[in-house]
Amino acid sequence: MAAARVASYLTSQKGSSDESVAAVFSKLEELYNKKLWHQLTLATAEAIKLPYFTEQGGRMKELYDNFVCDFEHRINPLALMEIAMYCLLDMQDKDEAIKFIEKLKLRIKGHKEASILAETALGNIYIRTRELPEVKKIVEATQASLEELDGVTAVHSRFYELSSDYYKLQGDHANYYREALRFLGCIDLSQLPNDRQHERAYSLSLAALLGDGVYNFGELLAHPILDSLRNTDKQWIIDLMYAFNSGDIGKFENSQPMLQKQPDLAKAIDKLKMKISLLCLMEMTFNRPSNNRCISFAEIAKETRLPINEVELLTMKALSLGLVRGTIDQVEQHVTMTWVQPRVLDLAQISTMQKRLTQWCDDVKQMELLVENKAHDILI
């Protein structure tokens, strides 16, 4: 009965007016009849990405019900779940989708990566219906299983996409920023359509600015996803992130008109001012040689454009957040920095580091010459 259903389905699809579609189904039929299950799995996984299936609803589910389910027990569990992820796009009814995944979970039981992908699929179903408490349970449980895997696998990108979408809906900017960057680190950017690149780049930029504890912008600024915003009406947010990364208070103040047009940023002006002031202090520390990091309150007030009576509070906050290490001398009105939190550097900061290294090499050479010249006196 199942074989007759498969034969009938393939025959009807081979009669398509689109020759390329007919050719795909002819190939699937050939591999099916020869029982070349591995090759058939690969061919099916490629076929479901074709516009024929993606541009019209119902066709992927039809393919699964009339064809794939006949040999699903012969498919690698992870490959089966990858195919199922596409089929879920055709299922608008939540209960139907959940039932479909729960049934598959019985077939893939014991395969860790496929099980993680199945849980991720369930999370995506609940994301669509905005059942965030259910998504939270899945994200927390699946995160623990994911950490047990060695290296970066095919399921990492799927999970990080789910977790970043969850944190975005929760308004948790810091966690969204972390998970979204992990997602981008697991995929080939060309896999994302241009409109999704643009949307994700803008969301990431907002999260970097608004996220609590996010003081490292370098990784995002170096990522090619920002190219989707360049020379568009969102170019201003890239410029703003560069201003934050370098602690440029002047550029931040000049960006106020644009900030007021973005509701989330407009509501967080005071928070943003504190963040860029902290970054300015970090940049001041970074730009100074390690033997000259005694900075007066007046210098900090000038660079951060804060009243001098607020400098000590700013420095205390930077110390408590672990952004810098050092001591405050309230009597002498200066701070002595001994360390600044490592960050991903942009080209300008790398140039500063190169100059510092050059200066260090020159100092070493001068010391070498001094030792050579004074060696006679020392030996005597």
Side-chain angles (χ1 to χ4, degrees), residues 52-201:
Y52 175 78
F53 290 103
T54 59
E55 292 179 358
Q56 182 170 327
R59 285 177 173 170
M60 282 188 280
K61 184 65 167 58
E62 187 182 49
L63 174 74
Y64 194 95
D65 290 341
N66 292 289
F67 182 57
V68 176
C69 67
D70 184 66
F71 61 94
E72 63 181 5
H73 59 290
R74 302 182 185 276
I75 300 177
N76 171 280
L78 183 57
L80 178 61
M81 275 309 308
E82 287 286 359
I83 293 171
M85 294 288 280
Y86 279 90
C87 293
L88 282 173
L89 299 176
D90 269 355
M91 301 181 192
Q92 300 304 315
D93 182 73
K94 183 190 80 170
D95 294 333
E96 179 192 13
I98 292 175
K99 185 178 178 180
F100 176 66
I101 293 299
E102 293 294 347
K103 179 183 175 183
L104 281 176
K105 285 170 70 174
L106 298 176
R107 290 205 175 276
I108 62 173
K109 192 175 181 180
H111 192 287
K112 188 172 288 186
E113 291 179 34
S115 297
I116 291 173
L117 197 54
E119 292 300 325
T120 301
L122 281 175
N124 284 325
I125 294 168
Y126 289 122
I127 279 280
R128 286 195 319 221
T129 56
R130 297 297 189 267
E131 296 178 61
L132 298 186
E134 294 298 324
V135 181
K136 181 182 179 182
K137 293 176 187 176
I138 290 171
V139 167
E140 290 176 350
T142 308
Q143 177 79 58
S145 300
L146 197 74
E147 290 173 355
E148 296 175 3
L149 300 179
D150 294 327
V152 178
T153 68
V155 303
H156 279 76
S157 63
R158 298 278 196 176
F159 173 77
Y160 290 136
E161 184 174 24
L162 168 67
S163 59
S164 62
D165 288 343
Y166 165 69
Y167 288 122
K168 182 178 180 181
L169 290 173
Q170 285 286 85
D172 186 338
H173 301 293
N175 278 321
Y176 169 76
Y177 182 74
R178 185 192 68 231
E179 298 295 281
L181 279 179
R182 287 177 175 176
F183 166 65
L184 292 177
C186 295
I187 65 166
D188 179 351
L189 194 58
S190 62
Q191 295 174 7
L192 281 181
N194 291 336
D195 59 333
R196 288 192 61 199
Q197 287 189 37
H198 187 279
E199 182 275 330
R200 193 165 283 272

